Amino acid sequence: MAPQHKRAGVRRLALGAAAVAASAALASGPVAGVGVARAADPRAPAPSPTTPVATPPAFAPPAVPLPPATTPAGEEAPAFGVFLKSDARGVARMPLFSHWLGGAELRAGHTYLPGHRWRDIEGSADFLKVWAHWRNKKADRMLVLNVPMQERNEEGVSDGEVRWLLRQGAAGEFDHHFRVLAERLVELKVPDTVIVLGWEMNGTTYTHRCGPDPEAWKKYWNRIVTTMRSVPGQKFRFDFTPSRGVDAVPWTKCYPGDDTVDIIGMDSYDQPAGMSFEQQVKEPYGLQHHVDFAKAHGKPISYPEWGLFRNGDNAEYMRSMLAWMEEHKPLYNTLTDYCPHGVWQCGANPRSSHVYRSTLFGRTDQATPPLTPTPKPTPPSTPPPPADCTPLDLGSWVEEWLGGKLCLRFDWW
């Protein structure tokens, strides 16, 4: 069953770069020594994450970081990341999350386009620019973008209307919206974005669900992929991602075919209540079925969403899911981190937080050393940062607006 909660929705960045400065202060909790004045934070979309809490001393990470995962020569190294917020605050929090993990490299950046209206699904430049900047800082990073297939995507649209909309989509009525999105991604120099299109289509939450007409849904998916692939310069990879289990309809009934699918993902939370991890593996259309189905179709797997949910602070689930991914080597995974799922922004899960942090502390999962850009010399007029104060690289356009770098002290950690 798909988690029946609203995603951390996205709003347009009306306050522009001011939101980035505010978000870093918001995410880091009681941080001393912020190097610029704090701007008003825009109204946070529900569910609002709680302030990150320091890991208790009893849950200290291992003194020696775990070795990186081995990757056969010529294969892409697995990437891991975390969803912290859809807008610019998600980007600003990633360095803090990485610091909490002992400098672990977050190679997957995950966000969602809002699904309120078609103009949102087309991807505004204000929303996408900060994510594109993060992606392009290092060559081995991966931008994962969830893209709704319909507007009013979380507004409780009836099955009858969904069926009509799917048939309109299958006939090409909405092609132009996805062409605009593809052109914007190419223009922003992120043509290799992983597109998680119409995620959790086997459930009942979203207007882009498959159940009311699976055949029309598959035709519509194929039209969208064909449209986006027709844009010059694109290198998109399309990720077919149901939720784990049967849900409203078996997800295999929605599979649109190997020609238009590059990755077979699965959103897998610790639910329903009382279900063990072994049951999550063995249930119909569960974790094992996912791995077997992807292998039969010659596709890599992914876990765009995973985390705690109905069974509280479940350290055994956290340990088992991390071990499962270590065994099956998904192309990428991104943990959902806000309550009740979180291990960093949610203080209610200390045991699971300890397992996650201990496992990934200091980890890079690099097949080759990361590409490090040549640092630019600091102008003589720019004062050095205070001791024990770490500057955040938010991009030249943000720093120009702020009048300098945002500097945070971590000695409270």
Side-chain angles (χ1 to χ4, degrees), residues 48-71:
S48 298
T50 57
T51 303
V53 294
T55 302
F59 294 152
V64 180
L66 295 176
T70 58
T71 303

Side-chain angles (χ1 to χ4, degrees), residues 71-389:
T71 303
E75 290 188 14
E76 186 173 358
F80 75 93
V82 59
F83 173 74
L84 297 167
K85 186 67 79 174
S86 290
D87 57 20
R89 290 168 290 180
V91 177
R93 288 170 182 170
M94 281 197 285
L96 305 177
F97 191 87
S98 176
H99 176 85
W100 177 71
L101 284 180
E105 180 74 13
L106 304 180
R107 290 181 47 232
H110 187 191
T111 190
Y112 298 74
L113 286 177
H116 308 307
R117 294 294 178 263
W118 280 115
R119 64 178 177 270
D120 302 317
I121 299 171
E122 290 175 352
S124 72
D126 287 342
F127 177 84
L128 291 171
K129 186 180 292 184
V130 67
W131 288 99
H133 176 80
W134 174 87
R135 159 65 185 91
N136 287 320
K137 289 288 287 184
K138 287 189 176 182
D140 62 351
R141 284 179 174 173
M142 175 187 300
L143 176 58
V144 179
L145 181 65
N146 277 50
V147 176
M149 294 168 69
Q150 292 288 351
E151 65 176 353
R152 297 181 294 141
N153 201 35
E154 296 187 50
E155 296 184 15
V157 176
S158 70
D159 280 355
E161 187 171 358
V162 167
R163 186 178 300 108
W164 177 70
L165 289 169
L166 290 175
R167 291 172 182 176
Q168 279 193 303
E173 183 69 23
F174 310 123
D175 288 0
H176 58 288
H177 299 297
F178 296 97
R179 184 175 295 107
V180 169
L181 172 61
E183 289 170 347
R184 285 179 174 167
L185 291 171
V186 171
E187 183 180 356
L188 288 168
K189 298 182 173 149
V190 283
D192 57 352
T193 298
V194 173
I195 306 291
V196 186
L197 181 64
W199 70 99
E200 297 183 12
M201 77 298 294
N202 56 324
T204 59
T205 301
Y206 300 112
T207 304
H208 64 219
R209 62 189 180 269
C210 165
D213 193 335
E215 292 306 313
W217 192 93
K218 289 185 283 189
K219 290 177 183 176
Y220 183 27
W221 166 289
N222 290 332
R223 284 204 69 101
I224 294 171
V225 173
T226 300
T227 297
M228 294 186 72
R229 284 180 176 171
S230 71
V231 172
Q234 68 80 34
K235 303 175 185 176
F236 303 125
R237 286 182 285 183
F238 290 88
D239 191 331
F240 171 82
T241 297
S243 57
R244 196 197 75 240
V246 175
D247 214 319
V249 61
W251 51 262
T252 53
K253 288 189 175 181
C254 308
Y255 187 69
D258 292 343
D259 289 345
T260 57
V261 172
D262 300 296
I263 306 162
I264 299 178
M266 178 164 280
D267 288 351
S268 184
Y269 290 91
D270 184 24
Q271 63 166 347
M275 177 177 273
S276 68
F277 185 79
E278 183 179 2
Q279 290 173 309
Q280 294 178 27
V281 171
K282 294 181 177 179
E283 69 173 324
Y285 306 99
L287 290 172
Q288 188 63 56
H289 192 161
H290 169 230
V291 169
D292 293 343
F293 185 87
K295 184 177 180 181
H297 289 264
K299 307 293 182 182
I301 62 170
S302 70
Y303 296 100
E305 292 184 33
W306 70 278
L308 305 167
F309 197 14
R310 301 291 188 190
N311 293 296
D313 184 13
N314 189 348
E316 182 55 34
Y317 163 82
M318 183 61 63
R319 186 177 298 107
S320 298
M321 190 64 183
L322 288 167
W324 178 265
M325 291 188 290
E326 183 66 25
E327 177 184 357
H328 294 287
K329 299 291 189 295
L331 182 67
Y332 71 91
N333 80 83
T334 48
L335 176 76
T336 300
D337 195 275
Y338 56 78
C339 281
H341 316 298
V343 296
W344 183 62
Q345 295 188 109
C346 184
N349 304 310
R351 290 179 294 275
S352 299
S353 176
H354 170 53
V355 171
Y356 183 87
R357 191 181 187 214
S358 297
T359 302
L360 296 176
F361 193 84
R363 188 162 175 172
T364 61
D365 281 342
Q366 297 284 343
T368 57
L371 301 176
T372 304
T374 303
K376 295 181 179 179
T378 304
S381 60
T382 302
D388 299 320
C389 190

Side-chain angles (χ1 to χ4, degrees), residues 28-35 388-389 407-412:
S28 58
V31 180
V34 177
D388 299 320
C389 190
C407 182
L408 300 179
R409 289 174 54 191
F410 291 100
D411 52 347
W412 61 276

